[in-house]
Amino acid sequence: MNIIVCIKQVPDTAEVRINPETNTLIRDGVPSIINPYDTHALEAGLQIKERVGGKVTVITMGPPQAETALREALSMGADDALLLTDKAFAGSDTWATSYTLAKAVEKLGADIILCGKQAIDGDTAQVGPEMAEFLNIPHIAYIRKIEEVKADSIRVQRLMDEGYDIVESSLPVLLTVVKELNEPRLPSLKGKMAAKKAEIKKMGPADLGADENNLGLKGSPTQVKNIFAPEAKKDRKMLEGTPEQQVDRLIQELRRLKCV
Ligand SMILES: Cc1cc2nc3c(=O)[nH]c(=O)nc-3n(C[C@H](O)[C@H](O)[C@H](O)COP(=O)(O)OP(=O)(O)OC[C@H]3O[C@@H](n4cnc5c(N)ncnc54)[C@H](O)[C@@H]3O)c2cc1C
């Protein structure tokens, strides 16, 4: 079973601040971590490998320093790591990111692709499903339990607003996972030592056979106009009660304010 886990290196958002004058993120001195959801995706990949055998490869698209995230994943037990890094990838929006990652998956070949449900910095939750579309394979989002893995199919529980769905899919499939799925393991000392020396493969656009027009800023249909910290509004009200009572109270409140 070939398992690919997509991990993103993100700033530890507990410490991220926005410069109010330039409206840009203050990244200086902010530590980087593996996107927390992706550590759950990696744990799922490792558990599938332990159940049915196979190989776990972690991939990331990012600047050269994203290698640190890959080494951390190797120390947790991943077998192989691939860094997609090149100036041509800079400025990628979710569309260009998904295209680039999908090209790498095509190159490596995979039965199961695992992603986090979302990245804690970009927060769009688009990359997993978009990759599946590029690869023309099914995807199942918000996985909270993997019930069964067979050579050609998988059965999972997908988290819903109230309860969960049981979904079965053929392979290859792309899954995005939530934190309820598992408890990520800690790296072992042996794993850390091996990860330090491990070779991290690197690929650029030519290695992927990627169309340069689809990469980076050039290939990104989304344009960021502005980033700003939302204004803190002092006038707020918490609505208590069951969801139904809260809706009733919200409607009363909107009527009182003559909004409806
Ligand atoms: C016009 C524009 C320009 C941008 N320029 C830059 C830039 O120069 N530098 C920059 O860092 N960001 C840039 N971004 C942000 C970048 O597009 C997103 O961070 C990226 O596409 C992932 O989206 P997300 O963070 O919302 O991930 P989500 O869709 O929320 O992530 C879901 C999952 O997808 C996987 N995933 C996401 N990103 C990666 C990745 N890079 N590698 C491996 N797996 C991944 C992970 O498993 C993650 O849990 C730009 C965005 C826009 C719109």
Side-chain angles (χ1 to χ4, degrees):
M1 182 85 50
N2 268 336
I3 303 154
I4 292 185
V5 184
C6 298
I7 64 170
K8 183 182 182 192
Q9 193 180 46
V10 295
D12 196 341
T13 45
E15 297 179 45
V16 162
R17 284 164 295 129
I18 293 179
N19 180 330
E21 275 158 31
T22 58
N23 280 333
T24 53
L25 295 182
I26 303 169
R27 289 179 185 263
D28 288 349
V30 179
S32 292
I33 54 169
I34 298 181
N35 178 41
Y37 292 100
D38 303 351
T39 59
H40 294 266
L42 176 56
E43 178 60 37
L46 297 171
Q47 286 185 16
I48 293 172
K49 178 187 152 183
E50 283 157 8
R51 268 152 75 171
V52 299
K55 179 178 168 188
V56 177
T57 305
V58 278
I59 61 177
T60 193
M61 183 187 89
Q65 54 269 33
E67 193 176 311
T68 316
L70 292 173
R71 288 201 189 278
E72 198 180 326
L74 288 171
S75 72
M76 284 172 68
D79 300 293
D80 227 340
L82 172 65
L83 174 62
L84 306 173
T85 190
D86 194 281
K87 283 206 168 81
F89 300 146
S92 296
D93 68 358
T94 60
W95 197 92
T97 303
S98 316
Y99 171 79
T100 310
L101 290 170
K103 279 288 175 195
V105 170
E106 261 172 20
K107 204 86 196 158
L108 301 178
D111 301 295
I112 299 176
I113 303 131
L114 289 151
C115 292
K117 115 177 143 112
Q118 70 196 70
I120 59 166
D121 57 348
D123 250 350
T124 66
Q126 290 174 2
V127 170
E130 280 179 353
M131 270 174 76
E133 288 302 312
F134 276 119
L135 294 163
N136 201 20
I137 60 169
H139 84 270
I140 315 169
Y142 305 117
I143 302 307
R144 57 161 242 178
K145 188 169 183 190
I146 296 174
E147 289 193 346
E148 190 178 54
V149 184
K150 290 192 191 157
D152 58 356
S153 68
I154 193 162
R155 193 174 65 239
V156 296
Q157 292 181 9
R158 168 174 66 189
L159 188 65
M160 301 299 286
D161 278 344
E162 291 179 21
Y164 61 90
D165 291 340
I166 295 177
V167 187
E168 235 177 87
S169 170
S170 56
L171 302 184
V173 68
L174 186 146
L175 310 175
T176 77
V177 312
V178 296
K179 289 183 178 174
E180 290 83 341
L181 177 62
N182 54 39
E183 195 55 51
R185 67 195 66 187
L186 292 171
S188 64
L189 185 60
K190 202 171 142 209
K192 277 188 178 173
M193 305 285 280
K196 251 188 183 174
K197 291 187 242 147
E199 185 211 352
I200 306 281
K201 296 187 186 85
K202 295 191 178 76
M203 282 192 189
D207 308 300
L208 298 177
D211 178 346
E212 298 249 0
N213 292 317
N214 291 341
L215 300 176
L217 199 55
K218 198 164 133 196
S220 295
T222 331
Q223 302 295 322
V224 178
K225 287 219 162 164
N226 196 4
I227 297 177
F228 58 94
E231 223 179 281
K233 295 216 171 74
K234 284 188 192 126
D235 188 16
R236 50 181 105 153
K237 197 167 198 169
M238 296 298 286
L239 300 175
E240 307 284 341
T242 63
E244 288 77 13
Q245 288 168 335
Q246 288 177 38
V247 169
D248 284 344
R249 279 170 200 160
L250 178 62
I251 292 169
Q252 282 168 24
E253 196 61 24
L254 290 172
R255 285 204 176 117
R256 191 182 67 77
L257 295 168
K258 300 198 188 323
C259 294
V260 288

